[in-house]
Amino acid sequence: MKSVIEYIEKNHDRYLEELKEFLKIPSISTDASHAQDVKNAAEYVGQQLQKAGMERVEIFPTPGHPIVYGERITNEEKPTVLVYGHYDVQPVDPIELWQSPPFEPTVRDGELYARGAADDKGQMFIHFKSAEAYLECGKQLPVNIKYLIEGEEEIGSPNLNSFIDSHSDLLKADVVMVSDTTMFARGVPSICYGLRGLVYFQIDVSAASTDLHSGSFGGVVANPAFELSTILSTMKDDHGRITIPRFYDDVRDLTDRERQEFARLPFDEEAYKKDIGVKQLSGEHGYTPLERLWTRPTFEINGMLSGFTGEGAKTVLPARAMAKVSLRLVPDQQPETIEDLFEDYVHELAPPFLEVAVTRMHGGKPWVASLDHPALVAAAQAIQKGFGKKPVFQREGGSIPVVATFAEQLDIPSVLFGIGLPDENAHAPNEKLDLGNFYGGIRSSAYFLDELSRTRIR
Ligand code: BES
Ligand code: ZN
């Protein structure tokens, strides 16, 4: 191990340069005008996997963006790790708020700024470099390794489940390694053992067939913006609880043990509020912030559109209104069940004079793992060696739907080892990655392969 770690320490600058090349590719999956860039990013991943010594590298086309696969099988007797990551990134708007251009990676104060630095190019890169380090040192990999790197995570992975279904033999593994979450805080390395799920909708409502003069018609014709707001505001009560009938039926109660574990984590509510610029936190009564974030479902309005929003004033009664809304789910809520309940409820709340269309967008299942899997023990050891600190175990409020798929479709446990920080602006302007964590991540990943080789897993 010593030579591998020494090799990693000597190659920091090269790793940074190669990651920068990756980050220069604007692989925005939701934007059709970037389809070629997304393809180029897939190619770059393929080259990196080749460079990391993979004996088989394949780029699988899908109806959407390609899936990159790589593998090196060294010894069938040894455990196999499947590394999952995504090379697509979120859009960059509002672009004017970036201090340096999103696709011109720039280092300031030990942080690498670029879209995708944390989510997820920089994070997954650590697992390319750890494998490469073994081979560059003239060592065989201590375990078998496979990579599954997709280009559609940020748009809900529409083609991934069917790929996994039809390639279950190819993807056979003992453990999945994912670096696409965050550490609990700076200096507090973490393993994440729970994610929320998601269902997402667009709601379109209309009344009259055209916009109307609000003086000539206001008072006799319904206002879709008002009606839609009313429907949405009815979705939560004064205690922050979601009012959809039977919505909480499958929500798993928090155990006392978990409550105690969460309370032990170094959560500083004042610093947290200051960080995000809010006067006070809100949400469901009866739960602490971490409990609400990690173990309770939510209902959010992601965007609304209606009527006149330009400069000045226009007295108009809009013909239509639209909202994008989503619900984060927790174990054991099922996306399809919640979709049905939600849609029924919207129709129930809508007055008869309103035309309502509910469109289901993407979704994903929530996930929670048991903490006693030997792969988690191996990961904790590796992180301790890589960061010089024991990791804490935490859950997350975000979603990575494929993790539940791995568990259910392939029966493989996942280790979520995030090296991002909560304030690294994923999905926002000035996304960044701490370089100390990047190098610590590469070391930990190398140690993980070594620990795993000595773990009895099957
Ligand atoms: N890396 C995130 C997931 C994440 C977010 C983990 C926050 C931990 C904390 C991932 O790239 C992401 O953004 N996922 C989407 C999933 C959705 C599009 C189905 C999310 O959570 O909104
Ligand atoms: Zn993301």
Side-chain angles (χ1 to χ4, degrees), residues 86 119 153-154 156 180-181 198 328 362 396 398-401 427:
H86 63 94
D119 184 7
E153 196 274 349
E154 300 291 6
D180 192 25
T181 50
L198 184 76
R328 294 277 168 182
H362 54 61
E396 280 276 14
S399 310
I400 309 175
H427 296 205

Side-chain angles (χ1 to χ4, degrees), residues 347-409:
H347 288 295
E348 184 189 319
L349 292 176
F353 49 78
L354 203 67
E355 293 289 329
V356 181
V358 178
T359 310
R360 298 176 183 197
M361 324 247 320
H362 54 61
K365 289 183 182 181
W367 168 82
V368 66
S370 78
L371 288 176
D372 49 20
H373 195 278
L376 281 186
V377 179
Q381 284 284 354
I383 295 166
Q384 177 160 16
K385 289 182 180 170
F387 277 86
K389 245 185 207 173
K390 260 202 169 92
V392 300
F393 286 87
Q394 66 162 101
R395 289 167 68 166
E396 280 276 14
S399 310
I400 309 175
V402 72
V403 173
T405 309
F406 287 134
E408 289 175 14
Q409 258 166 257

Side-chain angles (χ1 to χ4, degrees), residues 25-272:
I25 308 171
S27 47
I28 305 170
S29 50
T30 188
D31 185 342
S33 71
H34 281 286
Q36 185 58 45
D37 296 312
V38 177
K39 230 185 192 143
N40 294 345
E43 299 281 337
Y44 191 82
V45 169
Q47 285 160 19
Q48 279 290 328
L49 292 180
Q50 229 125 34
K51 212 167 156 179
M54 295 308 112
E55 284 161 340
R56 173 173 175 193
V57 174
E58 213 167 313
I59 298 182
F60 289 92
T62 76
H65 301 305
I67 290 171
V68 189
Y69 175 80
E71 70 172 34
R72 186 175 176 105
I73 308 297
T74 57
N75 179 348
E76 300 283 356
E77 302 297 305
K78 288 285 181 188
T80 301
V81 57
L82 174 65
V83 174
Y84 164 82
H86 63 94
Y87 64 81
D88 63 323
V89 300
Q90 285 274 331
V92 296
D93 292 332
I95 183 89
E96 66 279 5
L97 296 184
W98 286 78
Q99 281 167 27
S100 50
F103 297 110
E104 290 175 26
T106 308
V107 177
R108 292 193 292 276
D109 297 332
E111 308 256 12
L112 175 60
Y113 287 80
R115 171 56 88 228
D119 184 7
D120 177 44
K121 288 173 173 170
Q123 292 215 52
M124 80 168 126
F125 217 66
I126 65 176
H127 304 296
F128 299 171
K129 295 299 133 187
S130 58
E132 184 192 272
Y134 276 91
L135 297 161
E136 288 290 324
C137 290
K139 291 194 164 25
Q140 186 51 275
L141 281 179
V143 293
N144 307 304
I145 196 161
K146 297 179 174 179
Y147 293 86
L148 174 68
I149 313 292
E150 71 156 320
E152 299 189 312
E153 196 274 349
E154 300 291 6
I155 51 172
S157 307
N159 295 295
L160 189 59
N161 277 7
S162 65
F163 180 85
I164 292 175
D165 241 354
S166 54
H167 295 82
S168 50
D169 273 344
L170 185 70
L171 301 174
K172 235 179 162 82
D174 298 289
V175 56
V176 180
M177 169 54 89
V178 184
S179 292
D180 192 25
T181 50
T182 59
M183 311 198 328
F184 186 76
R186 188 176 288 278
V188 187
S190 325
I191 291 176
C192 169
Y193 68 94
L195 295 164
R196 287 195 288 194
L198 184 76
V199 287
Y200 202 114
F201 304 91
Q202 176 168 324
I203 309 175
D204 289 280
V205 303
S206 61
S209 53
T210 175
D211 280 7
L212 297 166
H213 190 293
S214 69
S216 308
F217 296 92
V220 292
V221 175
N223 184 319
F226 188 89
E227 299 301 334
L228 181 56
S229 312
T230 306
I231 293 172
L232 296 180
S233 63
T234 309
M235 294 264 169
K236 265 196 218 170
D237 69 13
D238 292 345
H239 302 283
R241 279 188 62 101
I242 294 156
T243 55
I244 301 169
R246 309 210 311 278
F247 180 77
Y248 289 94
D249 281 6
D250 296 328
V251 171
R252 209 187 286 181
D253 278 336
L254 195 62
T255 62
D256 287 341
R257 166 98 197 273
E258 230 180 355
R259 276 208 137 130
Q260 286 160 11
E261 296 289 337
F262 289 1
R264 267 218 293 274
L265 291 170
F267 181 72
D268 180 344
E269 187 166 332
E270 288 312 311
Y272 185 83

Side-chain angles (χ1 to χ4, degrees), residues 323-344:
K324 307 253 188 191
V325 305
S326 59
L327 298 112
R328 294 277 168 182
L329 311 181
V330 300
D332 298 304
Q333 289 179 301
Q334 294 297 326
E336 301 77 34
T337 311
I338 299 299
E339 281 174 339
D340 291 344
L341 294 178
F342 178 81
E343 202 173 325
D344 288 350

